Amino acid sequence: MPHESQSLLQAVVVFLLAAVLMVPLAKKLQLGAVLGYLLAGVLIGPSVLGLIRQPESVSHISELGVVLLLFIIGLELSPRRLWVMRRSVFGAGLAQVLLCGVAIGSVAWLGFAQAPAAALVLGLGLALSSTAFGLQLLAERKELQRPHGRLAFAILLFQDIAAIPLIALVPLLSGAGDVPADHGWMPLLRVVGSIGLVVIGGRYLLRPVFRIVVKTGLQEVSTATALLVVIGTAWLMELAGISMALGGFLAGLLLADSEYRHELEAQIEPFKGLLLGLFFISVGMTAQIGLLWSAPLVVLGLTLLLILLKLPLIFGVGRLAGGLSADSALKLGVVLATGGEFAFVVFQMARDQGLIGVAEHSYLVLVITLSMVVTPLIVLGLSALPRGKAVPVARAVPEEYKAMDHDTPRVLIAGMGRMGQMVARLLHAQRVPFVALDTSVETIELTRSFGHMPIFYGDPLRPEILRAAQAPGVDCFVVATNDAQNNRRIVERLRQLYPGIKVIARARDRSDARFLRSLGAVPVREAFFSSLEMGRETLLTLGFESAQVDVRVQRFRQHDEDLLDAQYEVRGDEAAIMQTAREARTELETLFESDRFEDTKTADRS
């Protein structure tokens, strides 16, 4: 086997082995997958084990992970939604880059005696945060759709856009400013032309191409086309001097309203995860860990300085420009306080152009990498901090919602969610007096807006609220809140206070139903009857006779309720419950088989 093939295979095995070992370990320690990839890169890189001696050889491939990430983000947006986000993108995003750039640049110029041009590049380069890192961290913690997650995305999007002029600015600041003036327009014309070509091609060419490809019915061709669109757009943007990541985002944005959006996302997702992991591994490999031993105070001090400069400024942007709460603004600041992947590109160009020295470049790469390593630890530390009792942020409760002026009820309903509202409407139609309790002002307000409904604000776990609702005189309690654990607690309280009154309680599943039944309540599984109706409609669609379907559904319902009774008798013994379920399944098959035999005999007689 040729030496090159052996080297390639060895590199692939090393990458995969490092990821397989380090990422699950990091996840188990609740550090997140991103930190696992970074540590894997540090481990196999030239600074530690030296298993991969040329990290630059994979950097171009690994950057495709960021490209694919931004392509999928673009798919989830649309030009209309982007326009709606314009204030966050160009307001908060611009404020963050300018404030952080000025602060860091000033420190570099005045505190570290850097030349003004170098200080400008350092300030703006370190003002950028890691799009891949930030979004992956937010996605892992399921915070992308929270207020700070949405604002983080908007700021990161502006940073990706801002990276374009910054990359173009580096050669001009390096002293190559004696280029002819007319030549200075060429990069701008290339940028405008490339974006125009992508926009026109995306609007008039991509959809017909996808239509033809989908008609072939070949999955691999569809996957290849999706990759061609993303990588081809990124390549075109790179030729024009624009970041490949922004090209990927632009391609996704153009296809956001396409009927093939979900298909494209499904095709790209596996490649995105793998290449994004490779990107973080390559970042870890470039870190010169030796500097930590030779100059630990300098490296750690610079990392801390970067975070301490950016975090309060981003916190302020989140509070003032984003309207976030203090807690959300702090989370935003922590996620965006890192350095970014575009800083690697900017600082490498600045080193090649002589704006910064080789030693300074090595420190910068390590500081950016360490900031990425430290951030998940800070996030984990913040989430582990003991918090005081949260101050309620719900709306004030109007007094009329508390004053229970009503007729003597026969039914008391706890919880006016979907199921509680259906019960209330049925009782209202039959003119049965009832009282409903809920702890959501919005729910009470909405329910009362449909007409005079005796719904009041109150926690059914409090005995004084129950007495005010005349609970001792009702015939029946209906417990129907959206929280299964809360339903259990309410039933337990009702059983303590009013053991003789019938309780009908909403159950989430079979185990919930068994527990509620053990308290003496009648459990009603929230999805059981709707599932029966769905099964009934399915059988009718398949051509079964209506009378046959009704018999089958009724038999199934009775059989399932009998099974619940049997499982209740052996509750607490999981093995016995499973055995009961297996026996019941066999019995049901036998019953349906006899039904089919009877149907056949009836058909033969007719």
Side-chain angles (χ1 to χ4, degrees):
M1 184 181 289
H3 177 69
E4 292 79 4
S5 300
Q6 288 179 342
S7 300
L8 177 62
L9 285 174
Q10 178 185 340
V12 170
V13 169
V14 168
F15 278 121
L16 293 176
L17 186 61
V20 166
L21 291 176
M22 295 303 297
V23 175
L25 178 62
K27 293 279 280 185
K28 188 174 180 63
L29 296 173
Q30 296 184 344
L31 300 176
V34 172
L35 188 53
Y37 284 122
L38 286 170
L39 293 176
V42 169
L43 190 65
I44 65 176
S47 298
V48 183
L49 297 179
L51 299 177
I52 305 291
R53 298 199 171 274
Q54 293 181 322
E56 300 81 11
S57 60
V58 296
S59 62
H60 222 60
I61 298 175
S62 66
E63 285 173 18
L64 288 177
V66 184
V67 172
L68 295 177
L69 172 68
L70 282 170
F71 174 73
I72 288 181
I73 289 168
L75 277 179
E76 293 173 354
L77 284 175
S78 65
R80 193 183 309 109
R81 186 180 167 196
L82 190 60
W83 177 251
V84 170
M85 292 174 59
R86 66 190 183 279
R87 289 186 180 177
S88 297
V89 175
F90 296 101
L94 178 62
Q96 183 272 323
V97 170
L98 287 180
L99 286 172
C100 292
V102 169
I104 297 170
S106 300
V107 170
W109 180 36
L110 300 173
F112 292 89
Q114 293 290 318
L120 179 60
V121 171
L122 288 170
L124 293 176
L126 290 173
L128 304 180
S129 309
S130 173
T131 301
F133 179 83
L135 295 181
Q136 185 77 2
L137 192 62
L138 289 167
E140 280 184 7
R141 301 182 62 82
K142 296 180 174 58
E143 294 178 350
L144 268 174
Q145 295 307 316
R146 294 188 181 178
H148 68 280
R150 290 194 294 269
L151 188 61
F153 171 73
I155 292 174
L156 288 168
L157 180 55
F158 179 83
Q159 289 181 1
D160 290 338
I161 297 169
I164 302 166
L166 178 57
I167 290 169
L169 188 65
V170 172
L172 298 176
L173 291 173
S174 66
D178 51 348
V179 222
D182 58 336
H183 183 70
W185 289 98
M186 288 307 295
L188 182 60
L189 289 175
R190 277 203 306 272
V191 169
V192 173
S194 299
I195 291 177
L197 188 62
V198 169
V199 170
I200 294 169
R203 194 158 295 280
Y204 298 107
L205 185 63
L206 287 182
R207 293 189 185 189
V209 168
F210 276 116
R211 200 171 295 120
I212 294 168
V213 168
V214 168
K215 285 181 180 177
T216 64
L218 297 173
Q219 189 74 20
E220 60 273 20
V221 178
S222 182
T223 303
T225 308
L227 289 172
L228 176 63
V229 168
V230 184
I231 297 173
T233 307
W235 172 70
L236 185 62
M237 293 293 105
E238 189 185 34
L239 287 180
I242 307 174
S243 77
M244 293 195 300
L246 188 64
F249 174 77
L250 196 57
L253 193 64
L254 291 170
L255 292 167
D257 293 325
S258 165
E259 60 271 31
Y260 306 109
R261 178 170 71 88
H262 297 294
E263 176 69 17
L264 282 166
E265 191 170 352
Q267 303 279 8
I268 293 296
E269 186 68 36
F271 296 97
K272 184 224 37 169
L274 194 60
L275 289 172
L276 203 55
L278 182 60
F279 168 78
F280 288 119
I281 290 177
S282 69
V283 169
M285 287 193 301
T286 57
Q288 295 190 21
I289 300 299
L291 291 174
L292 267 176
W293 315 127
S294 59
L297 294 179
V298 175
V299 173
L300 295 175
L302 289 174
T303 305
L304 187 63
L305 180 62
L306 173 65
I307 294 174
L308 290 179
L309 280 173
K310 290 182 74 173
L311 199 153
L313 291 173
I314 297 170
F315 176 87
V317 169
R319 292 283 282 163
L320 300 175
L324 299 179
S325 66
D327 188 49
S328 293
L330 181 61
K331 290 177 181 176
L332 176 76
V334 170
V335 169
L336 299 185
T338 65
E341 56 267 7
F342 289 123
F344 293 126
V345 180
V346 171
F347 294 151
Q348 186 170 335
M349 287 182 64
R351 183 197 64 186
D352 295 341
Q353 298 283 345
L355 274 174
I356 60 175
V358 175
E360 286 91 339
H361 178 262
S362 298
Y363 278 108
L364 286 168
V365 170
L366 184 56
V367 164
I368 294 169
T369 305
L370 277 181
S371 71
M372 291 183 185
V373 170
V374 167
T375 297
L377 300 176
I378 298 175
V379 171
L380 193 65
L382 285 176
S383 62
L385 283 177
R387 297 181 183 274
K389 191 172 180 180
V391 178
V393 292
R395 291 166 48 191
V397 183
E399 287 303 317
E400 64 266 24
Y401 290 179
K402 299 179 183 177
M404 298 190 190
D405 49 345
H406 52 78
D407 298 331
T408 304
R410 294 188 60 193
V411 180
L412 178 61
I413 303 174
M416 284 292 279
R418 294 166 297 166
M419 293 184 73
Q421 286 179 23
M422 294 293 286
V423 173
R425 287 169 58 190
L426 185 61
L427 293 174
H428 185 71
Q430 297 300 313
R431 301 184 185 280
V432 175
F434 69 92
V435 168
L437 298 175
D438 206 289
T439 54
S440 167
V441 175
E442 289 77 10
T443 299
I444 297 171
E445 187 176 71
L446 179 64
T447 306
R448 287 193 172 200
S449 68
F450 292 120
H452 180 67
M453 278 278 189
I455 174 172
F456 303 96
Y457 183 89
D459 184 354
L461 286 169
R462 294 170 56 190
E464 66 271 21
I465 296 293
L466 293 172
R467 285 195 297 270
Q470 301 184 35
V474 301
D475 297 327
C476 175
F477 290 114
V478 174
V479 181
T481 75
N482 294 327
D483 186 335
Q485 292 300 320
N486 195 41
N487 287 341
R488 292 186 177 197
R489 289 193 294 269
I490 294 171
V491 172
E492 287 175 330
R493 178 57 57 87
L494 292 174
R495 275 288 158 254
Q496 292 169 2
L497 298 173
Y498 311 108
I501 301 177
K502 185 170 184 178
V503 178
I504 303 170
R506 174 179 178 175
R508 177 156 294 170
D509 50 31
R510 301 182 75 85
S511 63
D512 207 22
R514 289 194 294 270
F515 181 85
L516 291 170
R517 183 168 173 179
S518 70
L519 297 173
V522 177
V524 178
R525 285 172 280 166
E526 57 188 31
F528 181 62
F529 293 99
S530 55
S531 301
L532 284 178
E533 182 60 24
M534 185 176 284
R536 181 179 180 280
E537 290 296 330
T538 302
L539 292 175
L540 289 173
T541 303
L542 294 173
F544 285 79
E545 294 291 333
S546 178
Q548 289 179 336
V549 171
D550 289 340
V551 170
R552 300 290 198 282
V553 170
Q554 182 57 36
R555 187 185 292 279
F556 182 89
R557 174 184 171 181
Q558 186 59 51
H559 182 271
D560 193 80
E561 289 175 351
D562 292 342
L563 172 61
L564 194 60
D565 291 341
Q567 290 179 333
Y568 172 73
E569 296 300 328
V570 293
R571 62 190 180 281
D573 186 345
E574 287 299 320
I577 288 175
M578 293 300 296
Q579 180 62 29
T580 307
R582 283 192 289 269
E583 292 172 356
R585 190 178 300 117
T586 304
E587 180 186 350
L588 185 63
E589 290 172 358
T590 304
L591 288 171
F592 278 3
E593 189 62 41
S594 65
D595 282 344
R596 281 194 291 272
F597 179 70
E598 289 297 324
D599 291 340
T600 305
K601 284 171 57 179
T602 304
D604 290 343
R605 283 197 298 269
S606 60

